[in-house]
Amino acid sequence: MKKRLSKTLALSALIGSLVFWGAGCAKKNVFPPTQNHGSHESDMSGGKDINYPPAESGYSEDNLPVEGTLDDTNAANQYGMASAADQQSDEYKRIHGRSSNNLFPIYFDFDQAGIRPAMTEILVRNAENLRTIPGVMVVIEGNSDERGTNEYNLALAERRAMNTKQYLINLGIAADRLRTLSYGEERPLFLGQDEDAYSMNRRVDFVVK
């Protein structure tokens, strides 16, 4: 009887150890810690913070465009086809404006046509992308907010486009590939009448033709 009890206890201990060993060796589901890749760019909105989406949505942690991460629905822009930017979300429009695929808009201070330091790295990235499509024409479209007369805003937006063109030429892009077009206040991408909307409409887009 004692032998049978001893065997039973030994068998129970063996089974228990096997169950414990199996549980310890089971594959675990390991989840990486949540990381916030979003960033803030107060300079782009005249002092008001803009929350950009994570890097996979088009901008890196430094607010620079991430190459090859544009929405496939806008891929037709790569060949100069009509942009669907006006039908996209506000966050999409903040990042892409009406620019073609793999090109990104730059923004300007109120009543200014000079290239802001915060925008120069975006122009460098645009120039790099233009080198991958040699011979293709790009229209540099200048825009302004609605304040001021129509004539003044057309001239201001043209100066923005011309300064942008010259910057790309200085980066090595052939002048005969670049054409400027001024819309002034005539094609606002954001229809609000506040500083946030105005800051997004003070913009130059890059459209492949």
Side-chain angles (χ1 to χ4, degrees):
M1 182 71 177
K2 287 183 179 180
K3 286 184 177 181
R4 182 177 299 174
L5 180 60
S6 296
K7 287 182 179 180
T8 301
L9 291 174
L11 184 59
S12 298
L14 178 60
I15 292 173
S17 64
L18 287 173
V19 170
F20 178 80
W21 178 83
C25 294
K27 186 177 180 181
K28 295 181 179 179
N29 292 324
V30 180
F31 299 97
T34 302
Q35 296 181 354
N36 180 16
H37 294 289
S39 54
H40 301 273
E41 176 60 81
S42 60
D43 190 37
M44 189 174 285
S45 63
K48 181 175 181 179
D49 284 346
I50 295 173
N51 297 324
Y52 283 103
E56 59 268 22
S57 297
Y59 272 75
S60 71
E61 293 182 49
D62 296 321
N63 287 335
L64 290 179
V66 176
E67 193 169 5
T69 57
L70 293 183
D71 192 329
D72 289 339
T73 60
N74 200 36
N77 288 340
Q78 192 169 14
Y79 300 102
M81 299 179 71
S83 171
D86 296 72
Q87 282 73 50
Q88 299 288 348
S89 68
D90 283 355
E91 289 301 326
Y92 179 96
K93 291 188 287 187
R94 288 175 187 275
I95 295 173
H96 303 293
R98 291 192 178 99
S99 293
S100 294
N101 195 38
N102 284 332
L103 298 172
F104 295 81
I106 61 171
Y107 298 87
F108 293 80
D109 289 327
F110 172 67
D111 200 27
Q112 299 297 315
I115 304 298
R116 290 162 50 186
M119 299 292 103
T120 58
E121 292 187 58
I122 295 176
L123 286 172
V124 170
R125 176 64 60 83
N126 283 349
E128 292 173 353
N129 286 332
L130 289 176
R131 291 188 190 100
T132 68
I133 48 174
V136 173
M137 176 69 68
V138 178
V139 179
I140 300 170
E141 298 181 348
N143 300 271
S144 71
D145 65 39
E146 66 179 27
R147 292 171 291 182
T149 66
N150 185 55
E151 293 78 10
Y152 181 85
N153 287 332
L154 282 170
L156 176 61
E158 177 64 18
R159 292 199 304 274
R160 289 170 174 169
M162 291 297 296
N163 288 343
T164 302
K165 175 182 177 179
Q166 186 59 53
Y167 202 98
L168 289 177
I169 291 172
N170 293 344
L171 290 174
I173 304 302
D176 60 4
R177 295 184 57 193
L178 305 173
R179 183 167 65 90
T180 62
L181 178 63
S182 174
Y183 286 112
E185 64 184 77
E186 296 174 358
R187 294 184 70 206
L189 190 57
F190 286 80
L191 301 179
Q193 293 182 314
D194 53 33
E195 179 52 33
D196 183 59
Y198 292 154
S199 67
M200 294 292 101
N201 289 330
R202 299 193 297 263
R203 189 185 70 256
V204 159
D205 289 308
F206 304 83
V207 179
V208 172
K209 295 295 183 181

